[in-house]
Amino acid sequence: MAQKHFKQFIYWFVGERAGRVLTATWSWLWGLPVESGGKIAVEVAQESLETMQKSVAQLTQSVASLMAAYQQAKSMYESRQKEFRQAEQQAILAQQQGNAEAARMAMTKAILLDRSLPSLAKKFAKAETVVRAAKDRLNRERQKLETYKLEMQNLKDLAELNEALAVIDQANTELEIGSARSQFATAQTSIERRHLQMTAQAELSENPAEKLTADLAQMTLDDEIAQRLQRLTTSSSSSRSVTPSDA
């Protein structure tokens, strides 16, 4: 009863369609059965697909931000390597020119850079591993999403088929075709039995002597009709055979 009141409140608050999807999703989250193979299940699947699409979009943005930070770290690491090589070259050049102070300062810079490069290299390698893992995860999620998109159409088609089958089942239940056939057969048998009964009664109710007399009278009448037709035919033929000279 409480669940029924909760549904009614949700339907009133957000509308029937959104309410049905919301309550169905809530039931799914709590392990309760969603309507099997119906419109609500399709709507829940659609909502889930849209949620996955949003999550993949957010993951794409996160990976893009990570890639940007990685490229920046890579540029910084490569820049420090370049500075280190330049400092060494400056130290060598200053040493060759006899400028000990400049050579010392350049070598000091090269040493400091050389000390920082291993730490940067570790961080860069770690960032590279994280970026590679993030890209792999993004590709997997994209593949899953494409699979779910294809399955979504299959779910819609299957749900429509289930609805059609449900209509047929409901029609069979409501029309009671089997019962109607049985009633028709019963009525047919009753009518045919009644016909046979009435025919038998009519035959039994007729007087055999009267029937015989009527049959004899009909036969006599038939003979007389045939004889007169024959005389008329013969007379007509004789009249046509008389010529004017005979007359």
Side-chain angles (χ1 to χ4, degrees):
M1 181 64 69
Q3 185 178 5
K4 181 179 180 181
H5 290 321
F6 173 74
K7 285 185 177 180
Q8 291 177 348
F9 171 75
I10 292 296
Y11 291 171
W12 170 82
F13 187 71
V14 298
E16 182 176 358
R17 181 184 180 278
R20 290 168 69 88
V21 175
L22 182 61
T23 54
T25 305
W26 181 262
S27 298
W28 174 75
L29 289 174
W30 284 96
L32 300 176
V34 179
E35 178 196 4
S36 178
K39 290 184 178 179
I40 296 180
V42 173
E43 292 176 354
V44 170
Q46 184 65 43
E47 290 287 337
S48 301
L49 180 60
E50 292 175 0
T51 300
M52 284 187 284
Q53 288 176 324
K54 292 178 181 178
S55 299
V56 171
Q58 292 176 353
L59 180 60
T60 301
Q61 292 179 354
S62 300
V63 172
S65 299
L66 181 61
M67 286 292 298
Y70 169 76
Q71 291 296 335
Q72 183 177 359
K74 182 179 179 180
S75 298
M76 182 182 66
Y77 177 70
E78 292 175 349
S79 177
R80 292 291 176 85
Q81 285 181 319
K82 184 177 180 180
E83 289 179 14
F84 168 70
R85 290 191 295 268
Q86 288 177 347
E88 279 189 328
Q89 291 296 328
Q90 289 173 358
I92 294 173
L93 181 61
Q95 182 71 21
Q96 291 175 349
Q97 293 176 353
N99 191 344
E101 185 64 24
R104 181 180 179 83
M105 291 182 61
M107 184 56 66
T108 300
K109 182 178 180 181
I111 292 173
L112 293 175
L113 288 171
D114 187 42
R115 289 178 179 177
S116 65
L117 283 176
S119 176
L120 290 176
K122 290 182 181 180
K123 293 180 180 180
F124 178 72
K126 184 176 181 180
E128 188 175 13
T129 302
V130 172
V131 168
R132 187 182 300 110
K135 291 173 66 176
D136 290 342
R137 180 188 174 188
L138 178 60
N139 290 332
R140 290 194 302 270
E141 293 299 330
R142 284 175 173 172
Q143 291 176 359
K144 290 179 182 179
L145 182 59
E146 291 301 319
T147 301
Y148 287 132
K149 286 180 180 180
L150 295 176
E151 289 295 330
M152 188 67 225
Q153 186 58 48
N154 294 336
L155 292 178
K156 290 180 179 179
D157 295 339
L158 183 60
E160 291 180 0
L161 178 59
N162 289 341
E163 290 183 10
L165 293 174
V167 170
I168 293 176
D169 182 67
Q170 183 178 2
N172 289 336
T173 303
E174 292 180 352
L175 296 178
E176 298 181 353
I177 295 177
S179 177
R181 288 173 179 167
S182 178
Q183 292 177 0
F184 180 84
T186 301
Q188 183 182 26
T189 302
S190 176
I191 292 172
E192 292 176 350
R193 187 185 299 114
R194 179 63 174 170
H195 173 70
L196 294 175
Q197 181 181 0
M198 296 304 296
T199 302
Q201 288 180 355
E203 292 176 351
L204 292 175
S205 63
E206 188 174 12
N207 191 323
E210 291 181 357
K211 185 177 185 302
L212 179 59
T213 301
D215 290 343
L216 291 174
Q218 184 64 40
M219 290 174 62
T220 302
L221 179 60
D222 291 341
D223 290 341
E224 185 177 355
I225 291 172
Q227 290 174 5
R228 291 195 178 195
L229 288 173
Q230 182 63 35
R231 285 199 300 268
L232 288 174
T233 302
T234 303
S235 175
S236 176
S237 298
S238 298
S239 297
R240 286 197 300 270
S241 62
V242 176
T243 61
S245 59
D246 292 334

